[in-house]
Amino acid sequence: MVRAAFRCYRSQDRDAAIGLYADDCSFTRAQDGHIDKAEFFARCFPTARRTSWQRLLHVTPADEELVVVLYEYQRTTGERYRDMEAIRVRDGLIREVQVFFGGAVRGGRRRSLTVSRVIRPPSGGRAWRGAPGRPAARC
């Protein structure tokens, strides 16, 4: 399901992709708080045109519903980045997507980044350390 969604994004097969997402799907990034399916397909789905390639590095189930995806891509301008997504799948449909921006990649290695903040999950779990990535851009 998750790999199919990425394939549809890269090939810009909107008709096939729409059926993979629940009608009440929520999409969240640093600059977008819980946009709906229609907004995602209008604003974010078309952005594949700004990349020359994308490679899924890890697609890892975290629990019964959650899949964590680490991917690398290159923009048409030549810059390479790594991002991560937490994707919740239930009843055969993508229900939620959370995007976490990583940093620029050079020569196959990630640049060192400075820690900018520590985010503690409400459950009292381990803290996540966030680092400044590339400047925020609209979808």
Side-chain angles (χ1 to χ4, degrees):
M1 169 71 56
V2 170
R3 288 180 188 275
F6 275 89
R7 279 193 303 272
C8 289
Y9 170 73
R10 284 298 305 146
S11 66
Q12 287 295 278
D13 188 346
R14 189 176 193 277
D15 292 336
I18 285 176
L20 300 174
Y21 293 82
D23 289 338
D24 62 349
C25 182
S26 171
F27 181 85
T28 303
R29 308 177 305 152
Q31 61 268 46
D32 296 311
H34 302 284
I35 63 173
D36 65 13
K37 180 178 177 177
E39 182 99 6
F40 168 74
F41 277 98
R43 269 195 3 213
C44 302
F45 192 77
T47 62
R49 294 182 211 120
R50 294 191 295 207
T51 62
S52 52
W53 57 263
Q54 180 183 54
R55 180 179 21 239
L56 302 182
L57 302 174
H58 298 282
V59 179
T60 307
D63 64 27
E64 293 174 3
E65 297 182 347
L66 185 65
V67 178
V68 178
V69 181
L70 174 67
Y71 56 92
E72 184 173 317
Y73 61 95
Q74 182 171 309
R75 289 187 174 213
T76 55
T77 54
E79 299 98 349
R80 288 173 47 196
Y81 296 99
R82 285 194 187 137
D83 294 343
M84 186 172 277
E85 295 188 10
I87 302 171
R88 190 157 307 279
V89 179
R90 187 179 326 113
D91 300 325
L93 295 172
I94 295 173
R95 304 286 175 167
E96 179 183 21
V97 178
Q98 295 180 53
V99 180
F100 303 92
F101 295 129
V105 176
R106 291 196 182 161
R109 293 177 28 172
R110 186 180 168 136
R111 282 191 298 172
S112 297
L113 298 173
T114 306
V115 172
S116 64
R117 65 183 175 270
V118 175
I119 303 167
R120 298 208 182 274
S123 63
R126 289 184 46 181
W128 289 85
R129 297 190 181 274
R134 64 193 176 281
R138 298 300 296 167
C139 274

